[in-house]
Amino acid sequence: METNDSPQRSPLVGKALAGPTVSLTEARRQIDEADRALVAALRARLDAVRNIGAAKEASGTPLVNRSREAQVAGRWTELAEEAGLNPHAAGRVLREVLHWSKREQELEWQKNAPTRVRVAYQGARAANGDLAARQLMGLRRTPVDTIGLNTFDAVIAALHAGDVDYAFVPVENSIVGSIEAVNSLLLQAQLHVIDEEKWDIEHVLAAREGATLAGLRLALSHPVALRQCRNTLVDSLGLESVEVWDTAGAAEIVAASDDLTQAAVCPRGAAEVNGLVILRDDVSDHPGNWTRFLLLGTKPEKNAAGVPSRTTLSFVADHGVGSLARCLAAFENEGINLTRLSSHVLPGRPGQYGFLVDLEGDVEDEPVARALVAMRAASRQLTVLGSYPDRSRRQEMPRMKPANPARKAKAPSPAAKVTGGLQLVGGRDGAREGARELAGIPLHSKSFVLIAGPCAVESGAQIEAGAKMVREAGASLLRGGAFKPRTSTYSFQGLGMEGLDLLVSAGERHGLPVVTEVLRVADLDAIAARADVLQIGARNMQNFELLRALGRVDRPILLKRGMSATVDEWLHAAEYILAAGNRQVVLCERGIRTFETSTRATLDLAAIAVVKERTHLPVFVDPSHAAGRRELVVPLALAAAAAGADGLIVECHPDPASALCDKEQALAENDLHRLVDGLQPILAGQGRTLA
Ligand code: PEP
Ligand code: MN
């Protein structure tokens, strides 16, 4: 008969009680002690986790590191086994601890999120300085209030007086060059450069509701903007220019008057916040107009470690033979690239010149530090104004942290008939989201971009011949799939990374940036390091993990429409990418699945107009995958251009009959020339040219 104190009641209990027998009281004491040790261990672990969170925050490293997590979990399994514990049960507990740790890090990160700052700029509300400052502070994840002041002097004075945290000023423009008034302030004032922003300038012609292009008489704007649009405004539209203090100020003046014969030449955002209608999209005579702005502070701020930097410094050289060359030799000797050098007369210091230099690198890099020592000896006076993230180096841009989900559309643009949850694709605070260029090929209302190339990269010889053919036809970018999403697992799947290398080198030989498809998050960084534009295919349009991951790369994304996706679903997919921090999105209509079977898919040309009504994102059309047959590609492509698409992506092949992928729809060389010839009159009629 079993008794209550039998040590062997069941095999399981028997196992648990094996070993030296202890009293119940003693066992309970041991449990309490083990629990205390567990809690203390958790405390110590969370403290370590917080320190890691802080270090990641400082260096801009992403919070989640999956390979490190896998390593930690692997180590746990080993530890559990060594201790004679069931690794699965121990793993469950430890996974819970890991989630808790990550949550703590996130909370810590949110607590440390920068507080709201005030930034002064020159101009009226929604001037380029205002829009660019908001964009930059968004990148820095810093909530901002922008304050528009009348002059640059007033902006700098507000900074010195402590009325604002930062000043935001333009230093150079692609058309008018160095902005002298600002550069002379930089040479004299005790200021620190904290960050930079390169901002594309768009001048639209905007007037009050009811005004017509034919009825306009006056164009109001800042004199520099008027100079940049003279041919269009005066020669083509026959308008008289009226100079006012600011471009966005012109929009305010026009909005306040009931004169329907005046229009403002202003940023799109300024037209929108002032409730004006845009009569002409881009009236600039010069496409590719940009301004570089600097964010200035009174105290230096450390640039995030591991982020490519630019450094700005000023120095004074004597007026003597070779003195400037001696100063600059310091950089040459250390192999440092200068990105800007400007000279300025120093008031009250005859014979001496002040210079401003921007260079690639950080004052904390050894070559830069050595160059500065040499430079100090060669120059009369050297001041380092700051090292800050180089926002123009696309390839190595810092990885962005997740966008603040609390960002709310304050004043949705009239163009943005947004439905729930679509805040960014519709344009927020007048901001024009979407790619402005594809690897230097401008995207704007006067350009049309042709991307062409084979469906897949098949061999070095094939892509070389394809690139040559694409270049000679006048296209601007080369497409080619290295990773192919094939319906059949038995079809050619692409050459992978090797194919990508062949594509990039063929593109380089023929001066063509390349577009290629990304299928998996795991390949994203490696592809982004080589390709210029990343394509997300129809089959992946709702791969939300992939869309989110695209937020961390600084590459334009060509987002194909899913073959069964509504426009709304397509825009939501674009919103994922924008919200994750990558604004360079281009949509691509490629045909949808309908009851019609005479074409591979049904090209939805209406979607071009619908999307343009709802967003500022550029829209491309892929007639090849919609048509599925070579004969239909050119007519559909021309229709897309006529309907207002911003560009095309078409498939072609040096020898279509031998193509390993989508051979029926591949254009031959003469087809590609026919396409370009057909596009010319359509684009000319729209005032556009092939980029
Ligand atoms: C492609 O462009 O190669 C492609 C596969 O297109 P889609 O994703 O539109 O089918
Ligand atoms: Mn294809």
Side-chain angles (χ1 to χ4, degrees):
M1 195 182 111
E2 276 190 336
T3 61
N4 264 353
D5 53 358
S6 160
Q8 300 280 314
R9 277 176 59 204
S10 75
L12 198 68
V13 174
K15 235 182 170 171
L17 293 182
T21 326
V22 291
S23 70
L24 193 59
T25 323
E26 174 57 12
R28 285 188 174 143
R29 196 198 58 75
Q30 285 176 353
I31 286 175
D32 288 348
E33 197 179 306
D35 284 351
R36 249 195 308 278
L38 257 178
V39 170
L42 287 171
R43 168 82 269 158
R45 192 177 198 287
L46 285 180
D47 286 345
V49 159
R50 287 219 179 91
N51 292 338
I52 289 178
K56 283 183 175 174
E57 168 84 48
S59 64
T61 312
L63 206 55
V64 179
N65 180 340
R66 299 219 187 276
S67 66
R68 166 75 187 148
E69 278 175 22
Q71 214 182 337
V72 169
R75 179 84 193 114
W76 283 343
T77 308
E78 283 170 28
L79 288 174
E81 276 170 347
E82 276 166 31
L85 293 172
N86 176 333
H88 297 293
R92 276 227 309 275
V93 175
L94 290 168
R95 250 195 318 280
E96 198 51 50
V97 174
L98 183 67
H99 285 147
W100 180 13
S101 303
K102 278 201 292 192
R103 182 88 200 102
E104 284 288 318
Q105 274 185 342
E106 274 165 19
L107 287 174
E108 197 64 15
W109 199 321
Q110 277 163 17
K111 215 166 62 206
N112 292 341
T115 48
R116 214 170 177 79
V117 297
R118 289 159 63 86
V119 174
Y121 65 92
Q122 189 268 332
R125 187 160 75 106
N128 283 305
D130 187 9
L131 301 172
R134 286 167 193 265
Q135 168 153 305
L136 177 62
M137 298 321 273
L139 263 183
R140 294 172 62 87
R141 291 202 323 148
T142 307
V144 64
D145 288 319
T146 52
I147 292 125
L149 298 171
N150 283 356
T151 62
F152 294 128
D153 284 320
V155 169
I156 300 296
L159 178 64
H160 283 306
D163 295 341
V164 292
D165 302 289
Y166 299 109
F168 190 70
V169 291
V171 279
E172 55 180 326
N173 171 269
S174 55
I175 297 170
V176 302
S178 181
I179 315 241
E180 200 49 43
V182 173
N183 286 312
S184 62
L185 284 170
L186 274 183
L187 274 173
Q188 291 161 39
Q190 291 289 306
L191 296 167
H192 297 273
V193 183
I194 310 298
D195 212 328
E196 69 170 3
E197 174 66 24
K198 191 174 162 207
W199 177 254
D200 288 326
I201 305 284
E202 185 192 23
H203 296 307
V204 302
L205 190 66
R208 285 191 58 135
E209 186 101 45
T212 59
L213 205 50
L216 289 184
R217 210 170 51 79
L218 305 177
L220 283 67
S221 197
H222 188 275
V224 172
L226 290 171
R227 265 209 313 279
Q228 294 175 353
C229 308
R230 208 195 131 73
N231 293 349
T232 313
L233 295 177
V234 180
D235 304 344
S236 305
L237 296 173
L239 302 180
E240 196 181 312
S241 321
V242 180
E243 297 185 357
V244 299
W245 74 287
D246 178 58
T247 53
E252 285 179 352
I253 297 169
V254 170
S257 142
D258 45 19
D259 182 352
L260 294 183
T261 70
Q262 353 183 297
V265 176
C266 62
R268 177 181 298 273
E272 288 168 356
V273 299
N274 286 290
L276 300 181
V277 280
I278 295 171
L279 296 179
R280 259 295 172 94
D281 255 340
D282 189 354
V283 286
S284 174
D285 301 330
H286 314 267
N289 185 358
W290 52 259
T291 295
R292 186 169 153 249
F293 288 88
L294 295 181
L295 183 73
L296 305 174
T298 50
K299 293 188 289 293
E301 283 181 24
K302 194 168 151 43
N303 187 12
V307 169
S309 297
R310 197 199 300 280
T311 296
T312 295
L313 44 97
S314 69
F315 69 92
V316 177
D318 281 330
H319 186 61
V321 178
S323 84
L324 177 61
R326 274 194 301 282
C327 289
L328 297 182
F331 297 111
E332 191 187 348
N333 294 341
E334 295 293 342
I336 294 167
N337 190 30
L338 303 189
T339 53
R340 188 170 82 108
L341 170 68
S342 59
S343 72
H344 309 268
V345 175
L346 292 175
R349 292 167 73 172
Q352 288 180 3
Y353 288 88
F355 294 87
L356 283 169
V357 168
D358 291 337
L359 55 90
E360 283 175 4
D362 195 287
V363 275
E364 293 190 0
D365 296 346
E366 274 181 27
V368 176
R370 281 197 301 270
L372 291 180
V373 171
M375 174 104 185
R376 232 175 262 286
S379 68
R380 198 164 260 256
Q381 182 188 316
L382 174 70
T383 310
V384 177
L385 296 173
S387 290
Y388 47 94
D390 179 344
R391 304 274 179 200
S392 71
R393 279 162 69 176
R394 309 164 52 250
Q395 239 147 309
E396 306 121 296
M397 272 289 281
R399 293 185 166 200
M400 284 162 199
K401 295 165 189 167
N404 180 357
R407 285 198 303 183
K408 266 250 166 337
K410 243 199 266 154
S413 74
K417 296 201 181 92
V418 293
T419 54
L422 286 176
Q423 300 176 11
L424 303 173
V425 295
R428 182 180 29 89
D429 291 350
R432 197 183 111 184
E433 304 284 355
R436 308 286 190 89
E437 57 165 45
L438 295 177
I441 316 291
L443 287 171
H444 54 71
S445 57
K446 291 191 173 151
S447 70
F448 186 85
V449 176
L450 179 59
I451 306 171
C455 178
V457 179
E458 298 166 9
S459 67
Q462 173 251 12
I463 193 63
E464 168 61 25
K468 183 165 179 287
M469 154 182 172
V470 164
R471 175 87 239 184
E472 283 172 3
S476 316
L477 293 105
L478 176 66
R479 66 151 284 155
F483 297 88
K484 293 301 304 173
R486 302 307 302 277
T487 300
S488 163
T489 190
Y490 303 112
S491 304
F492 174 59
Q493 303 286 318
L495 298 179
M497 279 304 166
E498 190 197 331
L500 180 56
D501 287 340
L502 295 173
L503 176 72
V504 171
S505 52
E508 270 167 12
R509 276 193 296 280
H510 295 277
L512 294 166
V514 302
V515 183
T516 203
E517 181 168 350
V518 180
L519 292 182
R520 306 186 312 160
V521 175
D523 299 324
L524 175 60
D525 290 342
I527 298 178
R530 294 171 170 84
D532 300 281
V533 177
L534 308 182
Q535 175 178 323
I536 296 301
R539 290 156 193 81
N540 262 322
M541 189 206 84
Q542 286 190 318
N543 179 341
F544 298 118
E545 195 181 340
L546 183 56
L547 298 179
R548 241 187 251 114
L550 295 170
R552 70 167 190 249
V553 298
D554 185 31
R555 283 285 180 276
I557 310 297
L558 189 73
L559 177 66
K560 295 263 194 113
R561 179 176 179 182
M563 44 192 120
S564 309
T566 62
V567 168
D568 224 66
E569 287 162 342
W570 188 19
L571 295 182
H572 275 285
E575 183 85 15
Y576 259 86
I577 305 173
L578 295 170
N582 185 347
R583 300 185 316 278
Q584 306 170 68
V585 175
V586 177
L587 298 168
C588 181
E589 160 63 38
R590 46 81 70 205
I592 48 175
R593 188 161 278 183
T594 67
F595 54 83
E596 181 55 69
T597 52
S598 58
T599 47
R600 183 174 171 180
T602 300
L603 186 63
D604 183 6
L605 287 175
I608 303 169
V610 172
V611 156
K612 291 215 166 269
E613 203 185 19
R614 297 182 52 185
T615 84
H616 299 314
L617 302 179
V619 191
F620 275 45
V621 167
D622 171 352
S624 306
H625 289 87
R629 286 196 284 133
R630 179 172 311 111
E631 306 83 305
L632 303 181
V633 173
V634 172
L636 290 185
L638 299 182
D646 296 288
L648 291 169
I649 177 164
V650 295
E651 288 188 348
C652 61
H653 198 283
D655 176 20
S658 73
L660 294 181
C661 191
D662 286 350
K663 69 160 104 169
E664 304 77 358
Q665 68 197 37
L667 298 182
E669 186 161 17
N670 62 336
D671 299 316
L672 204 53
H673 285 276
R674 262 195 314 118
L675 168 60
V676 172
D677 291 347
L679 282 173
Q680 302 292 4
I682 295 172
L683 299 178
Q686 296 168 327
R688 300 199 284 176
T689 49
L690 215 49

